[in-house]
Amino acid sequence: MKFSSSVLGVLGASVLLSSVGALELDINSPDSIKKAAKVVAGGLRKWYTGDRPGDVPGNLPDPYYWWECGAMFNAFIDYWYYTGDDQYNDITEQAMIHQAGTSSAFEPKNQTSTLGNDDQAFWGMAAMSAAENKFPDPPEGQASWLTSAQGVFNRQASRWNEPPESCGGGLKWQIFSFNDGYNYKNTISNGCFFNIAARLYKYTGNQTYAEWAARTFDWERSVGLMNKEYHFFDGTDSLKNCSDVNGIQWSYNAGVHMAGAAAMWNRTQSDVWRNHLEGIIKGADVFFFGDAKEIMFEVACERNGMCDVDQRSFKAYLARFMGYTTIVAPWTRDILLPKLQASAKAAAAQCTAGADKSTCGLRWTNNGQNDGSFGVGEQMAAMEVMQNLLTTQVSGPVGEGTGGTSKSDPAAGGDAVPEAIVYSDITSGDKAGAGFLTTVVLIIIMGGAWWMVS
Ligand SMILES: *[C@@H]1O[C@H](CO)[C@@H](O)[C@H](O)[C@H]1NC(C)=O
Ligand SMILES: *[C@@H]1O[C@H](CO)[C@@H](O)[C@H](O)[C@H]1NC(C)=O
Ligand SMILES: *[C@@H]1O[C@H](CO)[C@@H](O)[C@H](O)[C@H]1NC(C)=O
Ligand SMILES: *[C@@H]1O[C@H](CO)[C@@H](O)[C@H](O)[C@H]1NC(C)=O
């Protein structure tokens, strides 16, 4: 997870080849937004090497974990949808098909050491976006995008409260019992499962998905992973029957739940989901800086310089799902759009680094001053916050009966047993990688109380 010099080298070499001016963004002009998003997307694409001969489609170079590559392709799927620019569609399709695998559920054996439920779900959400946006279908004989999302849902539903049962339900962070963190029930794993279930319900109308979405949401509340103010906390220990909660708050948890609640409201139009969605939107104010609560920031780690490689991407998902929410629950637009606009303006103002003078940093709250931090996460977050200003330009996610064409297979992934690499085959490097992540989480658990918001 350390920022390696070889990665710095990749950017150093690539920025030298570009010669664009500083990034301009007029938030009221779709053309200007598209132009800005195009520049930032180009900067993101330069990090990806999986399409090169001998490399593996769907992997980013170190220090990026596999999940973030799925998150990045979700960003590119939305990029195409919002801007119409299809230049990344081929690498996206290649990576998605390669990683979906024969089980159509994104459980590749190669990822044994890093495959948590949350990691898998970031690919599953990408497949869901592809189905909703009518991203060009995979070739005949390959699982449809919808099927791959259903595959992820089915695999995860089968792991709900799996033995040893605890906490009255929930998904564990890890899939394999031998990976560190197996006893942790974290909010992002459950939140992504909720997100996928809710969107599958919106897409198909199948009540089973609605039941799972509600079950997950209610369970998270019952153990305190979210509180009355709809603040979402990091996770809880199943060995203690989820009796204490790590109170650190991340923007992506607010994001995945916001979109799930919006999808549930869209299909049911019930006051229950309207209230939840209103609460989540209000609760997410904690991720907006200053008195005006307009510019997005990663409150737990951004201003103290402690965001790790994963965390530097989290704002991307809050921005993505705020945009989604404004489409499927249009009454949220007046609250959310100004925040996206102010954040996008602030983000663009600091995309001034590198030889191309348009590489984006992490902090958008620095009055246009670039903070010198850069990478996939920083770039993807800036891209998402810009492209999600274009939600008025599209008709919104389709479903069965409303233009959706992705083939449904409610049994997808059902019988697959995730294949693991035998533990002794995992190199010490891989073990160190996964272990390091857990160490960070544990440090945060112990040191995170300062950021407990109740
Ligand atoms: C797994 O790793 C092998 C060896 O690097 C590679 O050829 C294959 O494409 C990988 N599979 C996936 C799904 O990433
Ligand atoms: C464990 O937690 C669940 C959910 O909060 C609760 O229903 C159950 O009674 C608890 N079990 C024990 C032994 O405390
Ligand atoms: C539900 O979402 C669709 C887009 O997926 C949107 O067109 C529709 O207006 C939304 N329904 C309501 C009641 O807002
Ligand atoms: C609804 O989804 C469930 C769970 O995946 C599945 O078992 C069932 O067959 C689906 N029903 C229909 C009508 O597709």
Side-chain angles (χ1 to χ4, degrees):
M1 295 273 287
K2 270 187 246 123
F3 217 72
S4 71
S5 53
S6 66
V7 171
L8 295 174
V10 170
L11 184 73
S14 58
V15 290
L16 288 175
L17 301 173
S18 329
S19 57
V20 207
L23 196 59
E24 278 177 33
L25 174 67
D26 173 358
I27 54 165
N28 297 311
S29 155
D31 274 351
S32 169
I33 298 166
K34 284 180 194 175
K35 267 191 203 135
K38 186 172 183 177
V39 172
V40 180
L44 179 59
R45 192 267 178 264
K46 283 176 189 155
W47 290 90
Y48 180 62
T49 56
D51 58 325
R52 294 185 190 165
D55 210 324
V56 179
N59 283 343
L60 279 160
D62 280 347
Y64 299 103
Y65 283 105
W66 174 75
W67 77 272
E68 192 161 345
C69 197
M72 181 184 81
F73 283 115
N74 199 153
F76 279 129
I77 288 164
D78 285 349
Y79 171 77
W80 161 77
Y81 184 57
Y82 290 136
T83 68
D85 178 0
D86 65 3
Q87 64 174 306
Y88 307 116
N89 286 17
D90 288 347
I91 56 169
T92 301
E93 178 167 324
Q94 181 195 38
M96 296 278 292
I97 290 173
H98 195 74
Q99 294 301 324
T102 46
S103 65
S104 315
F106 298 104
E107 280 178 352
K109 185 178 169 185
N110 288 355
Q111 300 302 330
T112 299
S113 66
T114 75
L115 183 68
N117 284 306
D118 48 0
D119 304 73
Q120 177 187 31
F122 268 88
W123 285 92
M125 292 191 293
M128 196 65 230
S129 296
E132 290 169 342
N133 295 350
K134 295 178 81 164
F135 189 75
D137 286 323
E140 208 48 47
Q142 301 280 351
S144 76
W145 304 128
L146 181 62
T147 294
S148 293
Q150 289 170 312
V152 171
F153 169 86
N154 285 333
R155 299 296 311 130
Q156 300 205 341
S158 78
R159 290 192 284 264
W160 181 263
N161 202 18
E162 76 186 349
E165 293 180 9
S166 61
C167 318
L171 280 180
K172 291 180 165 140
W173 174 24
Q174 293 300 323
I175 293 174
F176 300 112
S177 58
F178 52 76
N179 276 335
D180 289 340
Y182 183 66
N183 295 311
Y184 196 56
K185 292 194 173 175
N186 63 345
T187 304
I188 192 63
S189 291
N190 287 282
C192 290
F193 180 61
F194 165 68
N195 178 296
I196 292 171
R199 290 161 73 190
L200 283 173
Y201 171 54
K202 178 181 182 311
Y203 193 105
T204 64
N206 184 328
Q207 281 297 330
T208 306
Y209 300 128
E211 282 158 23
W212 274 104
R215 178 177 299 136
T216 307
F217 198 85
D218 292 346
W219 175 80
E220 289 183 272
R221 290 217 295 181
S222 76
V223 296
L225 289 179
M226 85 184 81
N227 68 3
K228 288 196 303 293
E229 283 80 35
Y230 297 89
H231 292 136
F232 295 89
F233 306 119
D234 185 75
T236 181
D237 186 350
S238 67
L239 293 180
K240 295 183 185 157
N241 198 35
C242 298
S243 57
D244 57 4
V245 168
N246 162 18
I248 199 160
Q249 298 191 50
W250 303 114
S251 60
Y252 70 165
N253 280 320
V256 297
H257 288 89
M258 191 185 292
M264 292 304 289
W265 176 81
N266 182 278
R267 190 83 198 201
T268 60
Q269 292 180 43
S270 76
D271 283 346
V272 172
W273 287 107
R274 189 183 171 106
N275 291 339
H276 287 327
L277 179 53
E278 276 172 354
I280 293 167
I281 289 171
K282 206 153 189 288
D285 265 353
V286 72
F287 304 109
F288 290 85
F289 184 71
D291 293 338
K293 297 284 178 205
E294 274 190 323
I295 301 179
M296 196 188 294
F297 77 133
E298 196 61 51
V299 63
C301 64
E302 201 171 287
R303 298 186 70 77
N304 60 15
M306 298 285 281
C307 295
D308 71 15
V309 172
D310 288 351
Q311 293 152 7
R312 287 178 223 166
S313 74
F314 289 175
K315 295 198 298 280
Y317 321 124
L318 179 52
R320 171 188 306 168
F321 289 128
M322 284 168 69
Y324 175 94
T325 298
T326 65
I327 308 178
V328 308
W331 48 271
T332 64
R333 169 165 290 272
D334 289 348
I335 316 165
L336 294 176
L337 188 60
K339 290 175 189 278
L340 281 171
Q341 287 175 326
S343 299
K345 243 167 135 168
Q350 57 80 56
C351 294
T352 56
D356 63 353
K357 302 258 183 284
S358 56
T359 298
C360 307
L362 178 64
R363 291 184 216 185
W364 304 343
T365 54
N366 269 5
N367 294 316
Q369 211 188 321
N370 182 282
D371 70 352
S373 175
F374 54 85
V376 170
E378 291 88 333
Q379 201 70 16
M380 179 170 27
M383 172 175 150
E384 287 277 14
V385 78
M386 291 175 201
Q387 70 192 21
N388 275 283
L389 301 178
L390 294 167
T391 49
T392 49
Q393 306 294 302
V394 296
S395 50
V398 297
E400 280 167 10
T402 55
T405 53
S406 205
K407 274 202 203 85
S408 173
D409 177 2
D415 301 327
V417 173
E419 216 188 335
I421 295 175
V422 188
Y423 203 47
S424 59
D425 289 353
I426 299 175
T427 66
S428 54
D430 288 340
K431 271 190 202 162
F436 182 75
L437 178 68
T438 311
T439 311
V440 170
V441 170
L442 291 178
I443 290 170
I444 288 168
I445 292 172
M446 291 184 290
W450 66 271
W451 173 242
M452 179 92 69
V453 173
S454 54

